[in-house]
């Protein structure tokens, strides 16, 4: 194995290449504790400290990306870098095993990047700043932990632990129905994650004693060790468990993504959450679902994934269309953006379900692109809400003449979300479509698995998805028209222009969206080897 | 003419030093008011502490004896690793309850100018604890009944200990009536079992000894036994006393009933189940129905407890329902894993059996002591700090904005709520892992059903634990900050530490539980049924 670099106490605290991930998680935790220790900090001090730690974490992730060997290709798990693995709970064989590969590194970058912007966007928060920024930093640590853990129990712990800060951030700093939204968010995710825990412990149980092995939570070993992964393929000892496990995992991650019909927590959580928290929720937390599918479900249960592809793809397509239609009916601007997230994340599910290189790469790209565009959209909504103190689309209008610079960047955000060629949304959607139609090729994995029966559903899914892009354009353009165009309204005359921080956050996100749209290979080339390694496990 | 020696020898008494110490302390505390002024709290405190300390030392002293497993007094009493460990938990926990009484109830009563009735309180507490300790180590039906009653009768009085408190009196009455009814049912069941087997010793209740193969009578007998023990652990449908009593009594008694009474009851249940199921080892399916019945009862207990907790407005009532749910979890686990385990050699007199169920139960009980007692003690500390003349400080509404009013106590309560929910990094999560893994290890459908029941109930439970968290952290209040520095706060923080520390020390607890999970089969090897002997020699 390439990864077991076992480190124990003092070595693990030395800062070097192998401990960079641990430091990346420690940095925000230290920052949070530091803020909590300041007695009665002024808002200015708390947010400066928080920003400093966010930026430091971001710089660490940039350093990691710089040190990361992007050209490293290999089997799933062989290209793990910055690995750190030492035993934590001996009787359960739980390891503190962290590491990144091409699949997780982009998400780590996205997380730290969005966190800096969200922290910056939090400068307007005045209510108990100390708690707010400490929770924000703890949330950041938890999110990084989810993306870097390679031990399943460790993954689960981070997955759960990242819920608490979110619960409090929505519940304390949220809007009028914050308590309802916070507990709904929490219970939905908990419902899904208990299923994940059951699967994780089941995997652990089934690997006990196989060929003299110790029961393990090691994701890489579970996915690549033929004796272990064979358990869950046809003829294996645990194949009955595997089909249940695939669905339990899928439900757990589908809540997070969120896929229809498990999406109903999302609009409530978004509407009540403060703007920066919405940005993080849409940009990072939803990605944990898609990442979980790619990282855990598909590598561990490829056969079940292929057998159930139709249902998974159907859920994806249904989410795309349903999300778009419901978004169209919304009067609350933020709710509309929330439903558009449901629709966009449907592409991710579809792209993963079809199991083609283009589809999976498209799903991956779509997640990253949505991370940028949804954060931007929520920020755009937040700017209006700060000024108008409401988000009702029918009451808005004519903002273009009052706030031209803002509207300019808002248009970039809208088009990025809509998938206009040249912007980030386009690449992900078109690649998922190409992947879907590509899966209809006679030699594709799905066609071979199903003996050609997948052809007709695949074409239908492709056509429906392509058609749904019209719906996306319809609700977004219609919103653009109602909010920004039309005669200027007198009650909005006093609106100040963009503040410095608002402008720079919009510019940063907008430029990223453009760069990703124009130069997609900047993202696609580095993630390709990792995606291929996942698909090789799947069997294509 | 030589008189038969009716007095037990020291060799026979030695293993029960802890019980003897507690009985001596009970009598001493009872006599204190005779010799000293009524309000001599100090003497009571010292006597009780010394009694518990001697009991603890005696227990440690008997450890080596316990580890090999012995029966005494013609099979009336048993000392084995399992009983030893539960006794250890009981003594430590009673010490905690004593501390809680001094920092909470006593202070409150003194501030109202009442005497606090310390001698009576501790007489009852110690007597009941002795009864519970006897419950953990007996296989004889008669002794079982006596031990149960010995722990129950003082508990009834303790439940109504606040003489001027109307709800408390009502709860105590309810407790007595339910207790009497379930005792009667249990006695009936026991008499049926006696009739069937011609013996009072559970260890000898084996298909070979069955005098009449009437299955219905057997089932009724065992169910009667289950009802009597189930009453102690608040198993649905004999749980109705639990919320009322927990709400009506002072919080130290609530804590004590929710943990000690339950631990002793579960230990007894564990022993009964092990012995009954071990009889099934002979290839006869005579007790095959028992795990299924237990699973159903455990599942109903979980759901009932969770649903009952939703509308509760009183923190003690809510935690009462939460403790019913935890009983349910333990029952589900027991049901699924109560299969005969590994038979180990237990020294010269007895064979012992090491089953996964006893292992898991000890692990769970150990963790449960810290979660549940912590939650109750924090509730006591909070009530003490925020109570006003018009409110008891025990209603959820009183918790509004507690994070601002009492950040330390709110933080402790948050931790205990997360622990009871089973969130990562707390011991509640450790118990969830343990539960799921023992359920998986059965590799049977019944284990999967158990997994489903526990999974669904975990999510259901989160809802009301988060109601407490919501009140404390999400709801705003204008009420002023309270002074948090108090002995009760220290006690709750002392219990908060293990809630995280023992998750990290999972290995250690797991090993300790495993080392002590051996249950004595209590009959000398030559009296074991043939099949079991063959089993032993086979291993």
């Amino acid at each position: 194995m390439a990864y077991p670099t076992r480190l124990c106490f003092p070595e693990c605290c030395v800062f070097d290449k192998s401990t960079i991930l641990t430091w990346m998680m420690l940095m925000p935790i230290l920052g949070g504790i530091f803020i909590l220790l300041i007695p009665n900090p002024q808002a200015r001090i708390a947010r400066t400290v928080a920003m400093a730690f966010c930026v430091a974490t971001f710089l660490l992730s940039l350093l990691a990306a710089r040190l990361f060997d992007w050209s490293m290709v290999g089997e799933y798990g062989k290209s793990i870098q910055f690995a750190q693995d030492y035993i934590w709970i001996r009787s359960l064989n739980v390891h503190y095993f962290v590491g990144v590969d091409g699949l997780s590194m982009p998400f780590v970058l996205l997380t730290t990047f969005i966190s800096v912007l969200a922290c910056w966007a939090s400068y307007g928060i005045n209510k108990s700043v100390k708690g707010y920024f400490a929770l924000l930093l703890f949330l950041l640590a938890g999110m990084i932990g989810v993306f870097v853990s390679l031990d399943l129990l460790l993954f689960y712990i981070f997955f759960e632990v990242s819920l608490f800060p979110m619960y409090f951030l929505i519940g304390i700093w949220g809007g009028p129905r914050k308590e309802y939204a916070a507990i709904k968010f929490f219970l939905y995710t908990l419902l899904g994650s208990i299923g994940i825990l059951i699967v994780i412990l089941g995997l652990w149980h089934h690997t006990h004693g196989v060929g003299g092995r110790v029961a393990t939570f090691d994701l890489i070993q579970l996915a690549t060790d033929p004796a272990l992964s064979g358990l869950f393929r046809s003829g294996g000892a645990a194949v009955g468990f595997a089909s249940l496990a695939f669905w339990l995992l899928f439900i757990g991650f589908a809540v997070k993504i969120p896929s229809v019909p498990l999406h109903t927590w999302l609009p409530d959580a978004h509407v009540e959450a403060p703007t920066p928290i919405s940005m993080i929720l849409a940009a990072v937390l939803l990605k944990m679902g898609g990442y979980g599918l790619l990282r855990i479900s598909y590598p561990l249960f490829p056969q079940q994934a292929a057998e159930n592809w139709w249902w998974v793809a159907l859920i994806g397509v249904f989410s795309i269309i349903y999300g778009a239609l419901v978004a169209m009916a919304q009067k609350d601007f933020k709710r509309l953006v929330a439903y558009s997230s449901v629709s966009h994340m449907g592409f991710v599910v579809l792209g993963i379900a079809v199991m083609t290189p283009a589809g999976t790469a498209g799903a991956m790209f779509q997640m990253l692109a949505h991370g940028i565009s949804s954060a931007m959209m929520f920020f755009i909504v937040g700017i209006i809400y700060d000024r108008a103190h409401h988000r009702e689309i029918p009451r808005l209008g004519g903002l273009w003449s009052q706030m031209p610079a803002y509207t300019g960047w808002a248009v970039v955000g809208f088009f990025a979300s809509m998938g206009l060629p040249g912007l980030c949304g386009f690449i992900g959607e078109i690649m998922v479509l190409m992947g879907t139609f590509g899966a209809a090729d006679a030699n594709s994995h799905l066609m071979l698995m199903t003996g050609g029966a997948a052809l007709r559903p695949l074409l239908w899914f492709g056509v429906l998805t392509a058609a749904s892009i019209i719906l996306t354009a319809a609700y977004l353009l219609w919103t653009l028209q109602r909010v920004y165009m039309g005669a200027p309204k007198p009650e909005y005359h006093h609106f100040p222009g963009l503040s410095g921080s608002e402008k720079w956050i919009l510019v940063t996100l907008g430029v990223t969206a453009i760069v990703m749209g124009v130069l997609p290979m900047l993202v696609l080339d580095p993630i390709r080897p990792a995606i291929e390694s996942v698909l090789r496990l799947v069997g294509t | 003419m030589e008189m038969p020696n009716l007095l037990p020898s020291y060799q026979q008494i030695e293993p029960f030093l802890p019980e003897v110490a507690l009985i001596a302390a009970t009598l001493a505390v009872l006599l204190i008011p005779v010799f000293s002024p009524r309000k001599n709290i100090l003497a009571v405190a010292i006597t009780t502490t010394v009694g518990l300390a001697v009991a603890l030392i005696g227990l440690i002293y008997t450890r080596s004896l316990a580890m090999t497993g012995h029966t005494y007094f013609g099979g009336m009493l048993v000392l084995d690793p399992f009983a030893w460990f539960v006794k250890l938990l009981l003594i430590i926990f009673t010490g905690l309850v004593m501390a809680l009484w001094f920092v909470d109830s006593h202070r409150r009563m003194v501030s109202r100018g009442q005497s606090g009735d310390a001698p009576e309180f501790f007489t009852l507490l110690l007597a009941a604890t002795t009864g519970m300790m006897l419950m953990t180590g007996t296989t004889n039906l008669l002794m079982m009944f006596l031990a149960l009653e010995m722990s129950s009768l003082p508990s009834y009085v303790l439940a109504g200990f606040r003489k001027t408190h109307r709800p408390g009196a009502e709860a105590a009455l309810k407790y007595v009536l339910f207790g009497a009814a379930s005792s009667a049912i249990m006695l009936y069941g026991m008499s049926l079992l006696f009739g069937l087997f011609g013996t009072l010793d559970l260890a000898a209740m084996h298909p070979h000894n069955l005098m009449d193969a009437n299955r219905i009578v057997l089932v009724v007998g065992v169910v009667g036994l289950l009802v009597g023990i189930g009453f102690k652990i608040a198993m649905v449908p004999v749980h109705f006393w639990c919320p009322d009593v927990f709400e009506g009594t002072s919080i130290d008694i609530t804590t004590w009933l929710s943990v000690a009474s339950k631990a002793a009851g579960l230990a007894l249940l564990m022993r009964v189940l092990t012995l009954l199921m071990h009889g099934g080892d002979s290839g006869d399916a005579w007790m095959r129905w028992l795990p299924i019945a237990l699973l159903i009862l455990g599942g109903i207990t979980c759901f009932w407890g969770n649903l009952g907790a939703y509308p509760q407005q009183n923190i003690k009532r809510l935690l009462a329902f939460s403790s019913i749910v935890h009983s349910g979890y333990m029952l589900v686990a027991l049901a699924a894993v109560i299969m005969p385990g590994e038979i180990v050699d237990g020294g010269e007199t007895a064979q012992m059996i090491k089953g996964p169920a006893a292992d898991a139960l000890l692990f769970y009980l150990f963790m449960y002591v810290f979660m549940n007692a912590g939650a109750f003690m924090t509730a006591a500390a909070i009530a003490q700090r925020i109570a006003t003349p018009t409110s008891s400080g025990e209603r959820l509404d009183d918790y509004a904005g507690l994070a601002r009013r009492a950040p330390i106590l709110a933080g402790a309560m948050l931790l205990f709520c997360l622990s009871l929910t089973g969130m990562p990094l707390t011991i509640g999560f450790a118990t969830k892992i343990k539960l799921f893994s023992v359920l998986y290890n059965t590799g049977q459908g019944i284990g999967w059903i158990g997994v489903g029941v526990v999974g669904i109930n975990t999510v259901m439970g989160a809802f009301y634990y988060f109601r407490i968290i919501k009140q404390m952290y999400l709801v705003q209040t204008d009420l002023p900050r309270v002074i948090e520095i108090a002995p009760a706060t220290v006690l709750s923080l002392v219990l908060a530490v293990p809630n995280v520390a023992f998750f990290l020390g999972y290995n250690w607890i797991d090993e300790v539980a495993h080392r002590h999970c051996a249950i004595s089969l209590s009959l000398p090897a030559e009296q074991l049924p043939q099949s079991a002997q063959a089993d032993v020699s086979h291993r």
Side-chain angles (χ1 to χ4, degrees), chain A residues 90-91 171 186-187 190 198 205, chain B residues 440-441 462-463 466 474 507:
Chain A
R90 197 173 295 277
S91 59
F186 190 87
L187 286 182
L190 185 66
I198 288 172
H205 167 72
Chain B
Y440 270 122
N441 275 326
F463 183 73
F466 271 75
L474 269 49
N507 287 328

Side-chain angles (χ1 to χ4, degrees), chain A residues 88-92 127-128 153 156-157 160-161 164 167-168 171-172 178-179 183 186-187 190-191 194 197-199 201-202 204-205 241 244, chain B residues 404 414 418 421 423-425 429 432-433 436-437 440-441 443 448 451 455 458-459 462-463 466 469-470 473-476 503-504 506-507 510:
Chain A
W88 177 26
I89 302 177
R90 197 173 295 277
S91 59
L92 293 175
K127 180 177 159 188
S128 30
L153 202 76
Y156 178 79
I157 288 173
E160 284 278 272
V161 164
F164 308 134
Y167 170 81
F168 289 116
I172 300 177
K178 58 190 181 179
E179 290 154 21
I183 193 68
F186 190 87
L187 286 182
L190 185 66
L191 179 72
I194 284 291
L197 178 66
I198 288 172
V199 173
L201 291 172
W204 178 77
H205 167 72
F241 162 77
L244 181 66
Chain B
R404 285 216 169 275
L414 171 70
L418 294 181
T421 319
M423 287 292 130
L425 302 180
F429 186 57
K432 285 273 139 59
I433 294 179
F436 281 128
S437 58
Y440 270 122
N441 275 326
W448 274 103
V451 167
T458 301
V459 181
F463 183 73
F466 271 75
I469 297 175
K470 182 192 95 176
Y473 282 87
L474 269 49
V475 175
Q476 302 288 316
F503 175 68
L504 302 174
Y506 188 103
N507 287 328
D510 198 34

Side-chain angles (χ1 to χ4, degrees), chain B residues 128 130-132 134-135 138 141-156 182-183 186 190 224-225 227-233 261 264-265 268:
Chain B
T130 315
M132 288 173 182
L134 292 174
M135 272 166 76
T138 175
L141 292 183
L142 194 62
M143 192 62 208
M144 220 176 263
F145 182 74
L146 284 178
L148 261 171
E149 289 303 302
M150 186 169 175
S151 74
S152 292
L153 292 177
S155 305
Y156 302 148
S182 52
S183 287
M186 183 169 70
M190 284 176 170
L225 200 55
V227 166
I229 304 171
F231 165 75
K232 276 272 162 204
I233 59 174
S261 178
L268 179 57

Side-chain angles (χ1 to χ4, degrees), chain B residues 172-479:
Chain B
L173 185 65
K174 208 168 184 177
Y175 196 17
V176 172
L177 292 178
F178 260 95
S182 52
S183 287
I185 295 174
M186 183 169 70
L187 263 187
Y188 181 61
M190 284 176 170
S191 64
L192 288 181
L193 289 177
F194 179 66
L196 278 178
F197 292 96
T199 173
L200 279 171
D201 201 324
L202 261 182
M205 291 190 183
H206 194 270
H208 298 307
N209 302 345
L210 203 58
M211 305 209 305
D212 178 358
N214 191 335
R215 184 160 278 271
I216 293 176
V217 177
L218 179 68
V219 171
V220 172
V222 173
V223 168
L225 200 55
L226 283 185
V227 166
I229 304 171
F231 165 75
K232 276 272 162 204
I233 59 174
M235 177 178 78
V236 173
V238 278
H239 68 284
F240 288 102
W241 60 273
C242 184
D244 288 319
V245 171
F246 280 19
E247 186 186 357
T249 62
S250 60
I251 216 154
D252 30 42
I253 301 299
T254 310
T255 315
W256 186 70
L257 286 178
S258 80
V259 179
S261 178
K262 198 159 281 185
L266 280 163
L268 179 57
L269 182 65
M270 182 69 233
R271 190 177 293 280
V272 169
L273 291 175
T274 307
L275 292 173
L276 286 176
M277 292 305 290
H278 184 71
D281 199 19
S282 59
D284 188 337
W286 77 316
M287 284 289 158
R288 192 66 51 80
W289 58 276
L290 193 55
I292 295 165
L294 268 181
L295 181 73
I296 294 171
L297 284 174
I300 293 175
T301 304
C302 288
F303 281 107
W304 198 281
N306 270 331
L307 291 175
Y310 286 153
Q312 300 310 328
Q313 288 301 327
N314 181 296
I315 183 81
K316 275 157 55 184
R317 248 185 123 80
L318 198 151
L319 288 175
F321 278 102
S322 137
S323 79
I324 294 178
V325 179
H326 280 270
S327 286
Y329 289 155
M330 288 186 242
L331 282 176
V332 167
L334 288 191
V337 294
I338 190 73
M339 294 298 154
E342 174 195 4
I343 294 195
V344 291
D345 190 18
E348 72 270 31
T349 53
Q351 298 291 327
M352 292 197 286
I353 188 163
K354 255 188 172 178
D359 189 356
L361 182 71
L362 288 184
F363 185 90
Y364 206 115
L365 276 181
F366 187 91
M367 299 300 200
Y368 180 74
V369 166
F370 292 100
M371 292 191 255
N372 204 40
F376 273 115
M377 288 191 184
T378 311
I382 291 172
Q384 191 189 65
R385 298 288 104 194
I386 64 174
T388 58
T390 51
S391 84
S392 61
E394 284 170 2
R395 291 180 61 76
L396 274 186
D397 297 340
D398 300 333
Y399 278 47
L402 202 68
R404 285 216 169 275
R405 299 185 63 199
I408 300 172
L409 284 170
M413 198 60 171
L414 171 70
L415 180 67
F416 292 121
C417 284
L418 294 181
S419 200
L420 286 167
T421 319
M423 287 292 130
L425 302 180
T426 64
I427 56 175
F429 186 57
T431 61
K432 285 273 139 59
I433 294 179
K434 189 77 188 168
L435 263 184
F436 281 128
S437 58
V438 294
L439 290 173
Y440 270 122
N441 275 326
T442 63
Q444 294 177 15
I446 191 168
W448 274 103
I449 297 171
V451 167
V453 169
V454 177
I456 293 170
N457 278 287
T458 301
V459 181
M460 286 171 73
F463 183 73
Y464 55 83
Y465 295 122
F466 271 75
R467 257 178 69 208
I468 306 176
I469 297 175
K470 182 192 95 176
Q471 282 292 323
M472 294 192 301
Y473 282 87
L474 269 49
V475 175
Q476 302 288 316
T477 180
D478 303 326
L479 291 167

